Amino acid sequence: MSFNTISVVGLGYIGLPTAAMFASKEKKVIGIDVNQHAVDAINAGKIHIVEPELDVMVKRAVDEGFLRATTSPEPADAFLIAVPTPFLPIKDQDSIPEPDLSYIKSAAKAVAKVLKKGDLVILESTSPVGTTEQMSAWLAEERSDLSFPQTHGEDSDIRIAHCPERVLPGHVVRELVENDRVIGGMTNKCSQASIEVYKTFVEGDCVVTNARTAEMAKLTENSSRDVSIAFANELSIICDKLDIDVWELINLANLHPRVNILQPGPGVGGHCIAVDPWFIISKTPNESRLIHTARQVNDHKPQWVIEKVKLAVAEFLSKNQNKTIKDVTVACFGLAFKPDIDDLRESPALYITKELAKLNFAKLLAVEPNIVKLPESLNSTLVLSSSDLAISDADILVMLVDHKKFKCLDKNVINNKIIIDTKGLWA
Ligand code: SAJ
């Protein structure tokens, strides 16, 4: 087998770094995306997402002629599909979110047009169990002239595998190389072909399993983290009631050699941990009781923080009887979905800040040192402020994200403020 031309379908947070990585090893890479703006940016040697070191890699790959982007598929030897798998809109608050596989279906239909005997198709998108087999069925529907593993096993013309991405945003370039990969071929030949492709740049182990187990492995990793964070978030609510410092408590418990509790926060954000457990729950709702409860605990945490702020406002007004809510200034520290990134999507900190903005305070200041300008959609709701200004102006300080820049704030200057600290920085 030789995979000289590799096509990556979906040039987002996973697809683009993966494409650049193959190109850095002098593979001919064709990137496919429906977003013309992304395609144009990449062909100009630029990137449309934020990820350390990626800009340099993409520029070099394009300049040296190894990476090219386009909106319509072209023949290649291996196709990696890295498109989003979001939820379908939920019917009501109590219903279980169902995965939206339409991006995978469109990608499969597009790739099917250019498939030839001997090609390999790898699904990288995080997917509910059974999606790789479904993708193979969609490909077979389009190409009755080719044979696929579900009908022809090891003798199939086309090889199919699921190899989930596992990289941490902000560390993608290093983790793509160093992390071990789970390789879930529909047959052993499918797995071996996938290993050959990934070994172009992966220095970690490539561990073989079947497609369904590979799908479940990825969902399990993120659900495990979600359940662990839910435990920490639940502890924080219990400790608040019992007047115990949860940060001290967790430090003490973690001194035990077999205990490793994660950190509570304002809720769980991002596009993975708060999403992927639902892919297990929606397939097996009666069996996934712990995973479901963890989701509910984490999803409830932002609301709990908002209630704490409302209590703090009531406390402030009872001490300052000449004032009303229209005289109160609140400052929220952090808008991103986790520390030291500028990504505001699916962020509990942003949700809390936007909800607080509806309460008609004198001012609601948002401090986010990792962005210079708020997205246009937020301009009418939030005012971006510096830490110093927010601390001097605000009556109530709400710590939402433990950015490095907040860790060095002088604790003495906040002594006379009412503080809600969801990350234990000012505790
Ligand atoms: N969080 C806490 N407490 C903690 C750790 C995290 O509240 O102790 C919160 C964060 O603030 C954030 C959310 O959880 O809101 C998720 O952040 P994260 O750093 O745990 O994870 P992601 O979403 O950036 O990336 C995860 C990673 N999965 C695991 O660590 C198991 C990454 O390796 C995956 O590739 C990625 O999901 C993905 O794409 O699925």
Side-chain angles (χ1 to χ4, degrees):
M1 285 172 287
S2 66
F3 298 100
N4 296 318
T5 304
I6 294 173
S7 180
V8 178
V9 186
L11 297 171
Y13 281 87
I14 302 304
L16 183 56
T18 305
M21 204 55 89
F22 281 117
S24 75
K25 297 293 177 187
E26 306 198 341
K27 293 281 179 192
K28 185 179 166 210
V29 183
I30 304 165
I32 316 287
D33 204 291
V34 290
N35 177 351
Q36 186 68 51
H37 160 72
V39 165
D40 292 342
I42 293 161
N43 285 334
K46 302 203 174 94
I47 60 174
H48 59 295
I49 53 176
V50 178
E51 181 60 42
E53 296 171 57
L54 185 62
D55 50 351
V56 180
M57 278 188 84
V58 168
K59 181 157 185 0
R60 183 178 306 153
V62 173
D63 285 351
E64 290 178 354
F66 290 107
L67 173 62
R68 181 168 56 81
T70 165
T71 52
S72 50
E74 293 176 21
D77 305 318
F79 295 84
L80 276 79
I81 297 184
V83 294
T85 38
F87 302 136
L88 291 167
I90 48 167
K91 292 173 209 97
D92 58 70
Q93 221 40 44
D94 297 326
S95 58
I96 294 172
E98 293 290 332
D100 176 2
L101 302 183
S102 62
Y103 295 88
I104 296 181
K105 189 172 185 179
S106 325
K109 299 232 168 208
V111 162
K113 293 192 179 83
V114 293
L115 275 186
K116 60 184 186 313
K117 190 175 168 157
D119 284 354
L120 166 69
V121 184
I122 298 175
L123 178 63
E124 280 214 6
S125 312
T126 303
S127 301
V129 172
T131 308
T132 308
E133 291 158 3
Q134 173 66 74
M135 180 188 76
S136 197
W138 283 325
L139 290 170
E141 258 170 47
E142 298 295 309
R143 292 297 300 268
S144 53
D145 56 320
L146 293 169
S147 63
F148 290 82
Q150 62 271 29
T151 48
H152 288 68
E154 292 291 32
D155 297 327
S156 65
D157 292 334
I158 304 296
R159 314 263 180 240
I160 306 281
H162 180 59
C163 307
E165 61 80 15
R166 313 160 96 184
V167 286
L168 198 65
H171 302 265
V172 170
V173 172
R174 179 179 51 80
E175 289 209 352
L176 270 177
V177 175
E178 290 178 4
N179 288 3
D180 296 335
R181 292 295 300 221
V182 174
I183 307 284
M186 280 182 70
T187 67
N188 188 44
K189 278 189 184 161
C190 300
S191 297
Q192 295 312 319
S194 306
I195 292 177
E196 190 184 323
V197 167
Y198 284 111
K199 275 297 172 192
T200 309
F201 63 81
V202 171
E203 288 171 11
D205 290 340
C206 289
V207 185
V208 171
T209 181
N210 58 43
R212 294 174 75 85
T213 311
E215 287 160 345
M216 190 62 181
K218 168 67 195 231
L219 303 181
T220 300
E221 290 159 14
N222 281 355
S223 298
S224 153
R225 197 154 166 88
D226 198 43
V227 170
S228 302
I229 299 169
F231 181 62
N233 276 333
E234 185 160 293
L235 278 179
S236 73
I237 295 174
I238 294 170
C239 285
D240 183 71
K241 197 138 214 182
L242 300 180
D243 201 17
I244 290 170
D245 177 344
V246 69
W247 315 100
E248 185 192 2
L249 174 85
I250 290 175
N251 281 342
L252 293 174
N254 281 350
L255 292 175
H256 188 288
R258 284 172 296 282
V259 173
N260 185 15
I261 302 168
L262 293 181
Q263 300 299 305
V268 169
H271 339 293
C272 311
I273 308 260
V275 175
D276 301 353
W278 290 116
F279 294 173
I280 300 180
I281 302 163
S282 69
K283 279 245 172 231
T284 50
N286 296 330
E287 292 74 18
S288 315
R289 289 188 295 161
L290 177 64
I291 300 171
H292 196 169
T293 304
R295 269 291 67 246
Q296 288 167 330
V297 169
N298 287 333
D299 272 354
H300 168 67
K301 192 70 193 289
Q303 206 49 50
W304 184 84
V305 176
I306 292 166
E307 292 308 318
K308 292 299 286 182
V309 178
K310 288 183 182 167
L311 286 174
V313 173
E315 180 194 329
F316 177 81
L317 292 177
S318 78
K319 285 186 190 152
N320 298 274
Q321 302 238 339
N322 56 336
K323 295 193 173 180
T324 71
I325 196 157
K326 292 207 163 83
D327 303 305
V328 180
T329 295
V330 175
C332 291
F333 285 74
L335 294 176
F337 88 82
K338 66 179 200 173
D340 306 319
I341 58 165
D342 64 348
D343 193 341
L344 305 185
R345 293 171 306 156
E346 320 300 332
S347 165
L350 179 62
Y351 169 79
I352 291 166
T353 310
K354 282 187 349 193
E355 286 300 301
L356 292 177
K358 293 178 188 164
L359 297 180
N360 287 327
F361 297 120
K363 270 192 256 170
L364 192 276
L365 305 171
V367 185
E368 181 41 82
N370 298 305
I371 56 175
V372 272
K373 206 167 130 230
L374 282 171
E376 231 143 70
S377 59
L378 295 173
N379 264 336
S380 59
T381 341
L382 301 181
V383 179
L384 206 54
S385 164
S386 70
S387 295
D388 290 347
L389 198 70
I391 290 173
S392 70
D393 262 21
D395 307 298
I396 297 169
L397 308 180
V398 189
M399 173 54 73
L400 294 171
V401 187
D402 47 340
H403 289 312
K404 278 197 197 90
K405 287 180 183 152
F406 294 158
K407 289 186 181 163
C408 45
L409 290 177
D410 181 3
K411 286 189 190 166
N412 294 319
V413 298
I414 55 168
N415 269 345
N416 58 342
K417 309 281 177 179
I418 297 180
I419 292 167
I420 315 284
D421 184 358
T422 71
K423 290 307 300 182
L425 288 196
W426 287 331

